[in-house]
Amino acid sequence: MRLLQFVPIKLTVFLVVGILLGSYLDFGIPSSLIMVLAFFCLALLAYIFFSKKRNDSSFFGIMAMLTTIGIGILAISISKPKNRPDHYLNTNFQDNHAFYIKVKEVLKPTTFSNRYIATVLALDTVEVSGKILLVFPMDSTQKELRVDDELIMVSHLNPIDPPLNPHQFNYKKYMQGLGVYHQLKSSQGSFVLRENPSATLYGTAAQLRNRIISKLRETDFREEELGIIQALLLGQRNDISESVYNNYKNAGAVHILAVSGLHIGILLVLLQFVLKPLERIPKGKVLKLAVMVVLLWGFAFLAGLSASVVRAVTMFSFVAYALYLNRPSNTFNILALSILFILLVVDPKLLFQVGFQMSYAAVFAIVWIYPLLQRLWLPKNSLLRKVWQLLSVSIAAQLGVLPISLFYFHQFPGLFFVSNLLIVPFLGLILGSGILIIFLALLNLLPNFMVKIYDGLIGWMNSIIGWIAQQEAFLFTNISFDSVQLFLSYVIIIGLVLVLSQPTFKRILALITGIILFQSWLFYSVWQNREKEVLWLAHQTRNSILLHQMGTKLNVISSDSSRTTRLAKNYQVAERIKKIEYKELQDNYVIQKQKLWVLDSLGVYPSSSICPEYVVLTQSPKINLERFIDSVKPKVLIADGSNYKSYITRWKMTSEKKKVLFHYTGEKGAYYFDLVSEQ
């Protein structure tokens, strides 16, 4: 099937190109001028469309392409804070101000803090807009905030910290993708809650979800099972234990825990079956479509109107319309139109979110690859045919998301098809029964025998997932996968599907070319790493770590190697490291014929013959730094995360006074050296 023959798909591709161009290239053009140009192109396109020669003119196609690209650039340009005059970033927001904010979303708490995404309504007396991260220290005596709560607090905004170590998760970049650029930290009693805040649809949905959760907690559901129920039906994963979540992740079934395309798709199939009698009455198909869309959005409201749920329901509302038209060839058009709608109307930044990418990759793969797998083999036995259909859906979806999954998560669950075969066929029953249980609980009519049965069903599902997750031989982790491999993988997958659907010389050549390019890039990356030798002084609280890479070998030199596992694994995956060795931290190294001295809590000075250019201050040595600088005369002083903050402040002032370069890893991140040979 030639996807690019569909006009909406062409427009979607051009729109994505425009969004990418607007994101990564700074044209230096005001958004108002871009808007004028986009409307001019639209007007010209309309003129050509209504003229008699539009079908004979290639100019129409070129203008349609340029207009759609321009709309993509305009959409992402408008979403940037610098192009929004009322955004707080365009005001004098430094120093202390009175912030009037409204809670928009409750995030999963960390060990030490509760976190929320909030909207800034006013800065002092000036009305502004924009989102911030609100952070409160964990306190059992403090009441947790809810969606729609409004509060006033006097404080100052802090930037969200970037990653301090190489190849660490970039939380700052992740939050910027959500439109959040600063955080506001507060403590108990430093804010005032406004009484009777204005209600929003999101707040009402959150209140309903909280009420449902409180009702379910009054029943005899076990703790782990209740956490899964909340995730399955309400999109609330905060109460799932880490061990259970890891089981689902390792079994390739973590998508079951997020209310997304899978759940909405199953719900759509159930509604198709339940509402089929409506087709017998006049205008029954139209009524059936309307009822399905209303019920889908009702479920979205039930699940709290989270971003993933709204995205999935929007997509499947278009799919419901495609089913109403009863034209399977239109499915691609409908999916493309849903992307256009979401990107233009909701938020073009969704394009850069992992959930959005995986949702649409999976759905497109199912719609495109599943029919091909059914044509390749269709068993005559009804039971075998059902198993093959489920397996085909699972394979198609996994092929669609595999490159994205490897790029972001660097692991592949080999038994994903087993978990999907055992769980997905019963997911419709689980979802349908769960919705019934929620309504009965809200009406205080939930019988205890239904609680026991449903609790046992969820427990059975957890047990199966746990057993699959224990088969560690089929879990492939720490897979190195970069952006070039991501792109070339999709070239190979698309080429393979095209060849299997209709093998031609050009398609086979394209597939072979993709495979050769993928292998060539892999060989080049491995060769490049073999020639690489670098040293990092990493940052970790109460520990000192040197990461010394020599080709595909990594030496982790630290004072406490037991705490370096995660840091070393992240580095190993990103740099294609094959071997890791752990070593004790010494006091003397050589860097490009320049000497490095590690000054620890013992405070031992280097001998006069060493004269180090680099000095690492670790474990809070009690020394007179001014006298040390006069005696040793180092070029660079580097303090890591094992030192007291009070010492850091004093050392920084002394270094400035003595005009010696000072680097604190807790502020500036890991310190990078080029080439190392140990003494």
Side-chain angles (χ1 to χ4, degrees):
M1 184 178 291
R2 297 178 181 177
L3 294 180
L4 293 179
Q5 287 182 344
F6 297 106
V7 173
I9 290 182
K10 291 180 181 179
L11 295 178
T12 301
V13 171
F14 296 142
L15 178 70
V16 169
V17 169
I19 292 173
L20 293 174
L21 289 174
S23 298
Y24 295 111
L25 298 179
D26 188 3
F27 295 97
I29 304 174
S31 58
S32 56
L33 181 57
I34 297 176
M35 186 177 297
V36 171
L37 292 174
F39 277 114
F40 173 77
C41 290
L42 276 173
L44 183 59
L45 194 65
Y47 171 76
I48 299 172
F49 179 79
F50 289 108
S51 67
K52 295 181 180 179
K53 297 182 179 181
R54 67 177 185 273
N55 295 328
D56 303 327
S57 174
S58 59
F59 182 63
F60 176 77
I62 295 173
M63 281 305 302
M65 177 187 70
L66 294 176
T67 301
T68 310
I69 292 174
I71 291 173
I73 296 174
L74 175 64
I76 196 67
S77 176
I78 292 175
S79 70
K80 293 180 179 179
K82 68 177 183 179
N83 295 322
R84 295 167 55 189
D86 64 335
H87 199 282
Y88 76 84
L89 286 176
N90 297 317
T91 66
N92 182 21
F93 64 89
Q94 288 82 11
D95 302 324
N96 282 355
H97 291 277
F99 289 90
Y100 182 22
I101 56 182
K102 188 179 186 71
V103 176
K104 184 177 181 181
E105 183 180 351
V106 179
L107 301 179
K108 186 173 183 177
T110 65
T111 307
F112 306 104
S113 63
N114 290 314
R115 301 175 302 149
Y116 311 88
I117 291 180
T119 302
V120 184
L121 301 178
L123 186 64
D124 294 329
T125 58
V126 180
E127 291 187 3
V128 295
S129 65
K131 294 188 291 186
I132 59 171
L133 178 65
L134 191 59
V135 181
F136 289 91
M138 189 69 71
D139 188 348
S140 59
T141 63
Q142 182 173 309
K143 184 180 179 181
E144 295 182 5
L145 298 178
R146 298 173 298 178
V147 177
D148 276 356
D149 277 351
E150 295 177 3
L151 52 150
I152 301 174
M153 56 189 302
V154 177
S155 187
H156 63 278
L157 291 175
N158 296 302
I160 298 175
D161 297 328
L164 297 175
N165 293 312
H167 310 303
Q168 192 176 25
F169 175 67
N170 194 334
Y171 188 66
K172 179 177 182 178
K173 183 178 179 182
Y174 169 75
M175 293 305 294
Q176 285 179 350
L178 300 177
V180 180
Y181 297 89
H182 288 84
Q183 59 183 335
L184 200 59
K185 295 183 178 180
S186 179
S187 58
Q188 185 177 8
S190 64
F191 64 89
V192 178
L193 270 176
R194 182 187 173 190
E195 294 183 1
N196 301 319
S198 59
T200 65
L201 190 62
Y202 288 97
T204 306
Q207 287 180 10
L208 175 61
R209 183 168 62 179
N210 291 336
R211 185 184 173 193
I212 292 170
I213 291 174
S214 64
K215 287 288 185 181
L216 292 176
R217 284 176 178 166
E218 293 173 2
T219 63
D220 293 332
F221 284 114
R222 289 172 293 179
E223 195 67 27
E224 285 189 352
E225 282 68 18
L226 183 57
I228 297 298
I229 292 170
Q230 291 175 201
L232 278 171
L233 302 170
L234 304 173
Q236 181 64 264
R237 294 189 290 181
N238 293 356
D239 295 331
I240 300 178
S241 66
E242 186 176 354
S243 60
V244 172
Y245 182 81
N246 286 334
N247 283 343
Y248 276 82
K249 183 175 68 173
N250 295 338
V254 73
H255 56 282
I256 293 174
L257 299 180
V259 179
S260 56
L262 174 65
H263 302 71
I264 306 302
I266 291 174
L267 186 59
L268 178 62
V269 172
L270 289 174
L271 291 175
Q272 277 277 101
F273 174 75
V274 173
L275 299 176
K276 194 170 182 62
L278 289 177
E279 297 180 1
R280 299 175 183 175
I281 64 176
K283 301 290 183 180
K285 286 189 175 182
V286 177
L287 179 61
K288 177 184 173 184
L289 173 64
V291 172
M292 281 197 302
V293 171
V294 169
L295 290 176
L296 286 177
W297 282 100
F299 181 76
F301 185 81
L302 191 72
L305 290 174
S306 65
S308 61
V309 175
V310 171
R311 182 173 63 239
V313 171
T314 302
M315 178 173 64
F316 278 96
S317 295
F318 281 92
V319 172
Y321 180 65
L323 294 173
Y324 162 75
L325 294 176
N326 198 24
R327 297 177 187 172
S329 61
N330 270 344
T331 306
F332 290 108
N333 284 333
I334 297 300
L335 289 174
L337 284 172
S338 71
I339 294 180
L340 286 168
F341 176 81
I342 291 172
L343 290 179
L344 286 176
V345 178
V346 180
D347 185 2
K349 287 185 177 180
L350 285 173
L351 181 65
F352 305 99
Q353 295 183 16
V354 182
F356 180 87
Q357 296 168 8
M358 296 189 74
S359 293
Y360 274 94
V363 173
F364 266 105
I366 290 171
V367 174
W368 191 25
I369 300 175
Y370 172 77
L372 173 62
L373 294 175
Q374 294 302 296
R375 288 198 300 269
L376 288 176
W377 182 52
L378 188 62
K380 295 181 179 180
N381 182 276
S382 59
L383 178 60
L384 188 59
R385 184 163 60 248
K386 291 294 183 182
V387 172
W388 173 239
Q389 288 173 346
L390 286 170
L391 189 59
S392 297
V393 170
S394 182
I395 292 172
Q398 199 67 37
L399 273 176
V401 303
L402 179 60
I404 298 175
S405 180
L406 291 177
F407 178 70
Y408 287 109
F409 308 116
H410 304 288
Q411 73 173 39
F412 173 68
L415 294 179
F416 71 90
F417 59 92
V418 176
S419 56
N420 281 278
L421 279 175
L422 295 177
I423 302 299
V424 172
F426 302 97
L427 199 55
L429 173 64
I430 293 171
L431 289 176
S433 303
I435 293 172
L436 176 61
I437 282 175
I438 285 175
F439 279 109
L440 292 176
L442 287 174
L443 297 173
N444 296 319
L445 298 175
L446 181 60
N448 193 57
F449 79 89
M450 287 188 67
V451 173
K452 294 293 184 183
I453 293 173
Y454 198 68
D455 186 80
L457 184 62
I458 300 299
W460 166 79
M461 184 173 71
N462 287 346
S463 299
I464 290 177
I465 293 297
W467 176 81
I468 295 173
Q470 291 174 5
Q471 315 308 310
E472 296 181 358
F474 297 94
L475 178 62
F476 307 99
T477 59
N478 301 325
I479 302 172
S480 300
F481 210 79
D482 56 32
S483 56
V484 176
Q485 289 175 291
L486 171 68
F487 173 75
L488 292 176
S489 293
Y490 275 114
V491 171
I492 293 172
I493 290 172
I494 293 171
L496 178 62
V497 174
L498 291 174
V499 168
L500 291 176
S501 60
Q502 186 179 351
T504 63
F505 176 75
K506 289 183 178 180
R507 293 181 176 185
I508 294 173
L509 181 62
L511 174 61
I512 294 174
T513 302
I515 295 172
I516 292 174
L517 288 174
F518 185 92
Q519 291 178 327
S520 300
W521 175 257
L522 188 59
F523 290 146
Y524 171 75
S525 300
V526 172
W527 171 81
Q528 192 179 43
N529 277 6
R530 285 178 178 173
E531 302 297 317
K532 193 174 184 179
E533 185 172 8
V534 294
L535 177 72
W536 293 88
L537 176 65
H539 177 83
Q540 190 175 64
T541 306
R542 299 188 301 276
N543 198 13
S544 301
I545 307 171
L546 284 168
L547 298 176
H548 180 199
Q549 179 186 356
M550 296 185 296
T552 57
K553 178 183 176 182
L554 178 67
N555 290 321
V556 181
I557 309 165
S558 68
S559 54
D560 184 2
S561 60
S562 63
R563 299 179 57 213
T564 63
T565 304
R566 186 172 182 179
L567 181 65
K569 285 295 182 182
N570 289 340
Y571 196 94
Q572 178 187 22
V573 172
E575 296 291 342
R576 305 180 191 277
I577 300 296
K578 294 183 178 179
K579 184 179 180 182
I580 299 178
E581 286 189 6
Y582 294 90
K583 298 183 178 181
E584 288 291 330
L585 186 67
Q586 305 297 320
D587 59 1
N588 193 7
Y589 298 92
V590 173
I591 306 169
Q592 285 186 326
K593 298 182 180 180
Q594 294 184 332
K595 296 172 183 178
L596 167 68
W597 184 262
V598 178
L599 187 64
D600 58 18
S601 58
L602 298 177
V604 178
Y605 279 47
S607 63
S608 57
S609 61
I610 294 181
C611 298
E613 287 81 6
Y614 298 95
V615 173
V616 174
L617 300 168
T618 178
Q619 299 174 18
S620 304
K622 296 179 180 180
I623 60 167
N624 186 318
L625 188 61
E626 190 169 342
R627 188 183 305 163
F628 178 85
I629 292 173
D630 291 336
S631 174
V632 179
K633 295 181 173 56
K635 292 181 180 179
V636 183
L637 290 172
I638 313 164
D640 63 18
S642 65
N643 298 287
Y644 297 131
K645 293 283 184 70
S646 58
Y647 283 36
I648 298 294
T649 304
R650 188 171 69 247
W651 291 341
K652 190 175 182 180
M653 293 173 61
T654 303
S655 300
E656 289 176 355
K657 179 182 176 181
K658 288 294 183 178
K659 296 182 180 180
V660 175
L661 181 63
F662 181 80
H663 183 104
Y664 172 47
T665 58
E667 292 179 354
K668 299 179 180 180
Y671 191 86
Y672 171 76
F673 304 90
D674 286 323
L675 184 64
V676 177
S677 60
E678 289 190 38
Q679 192 179 47

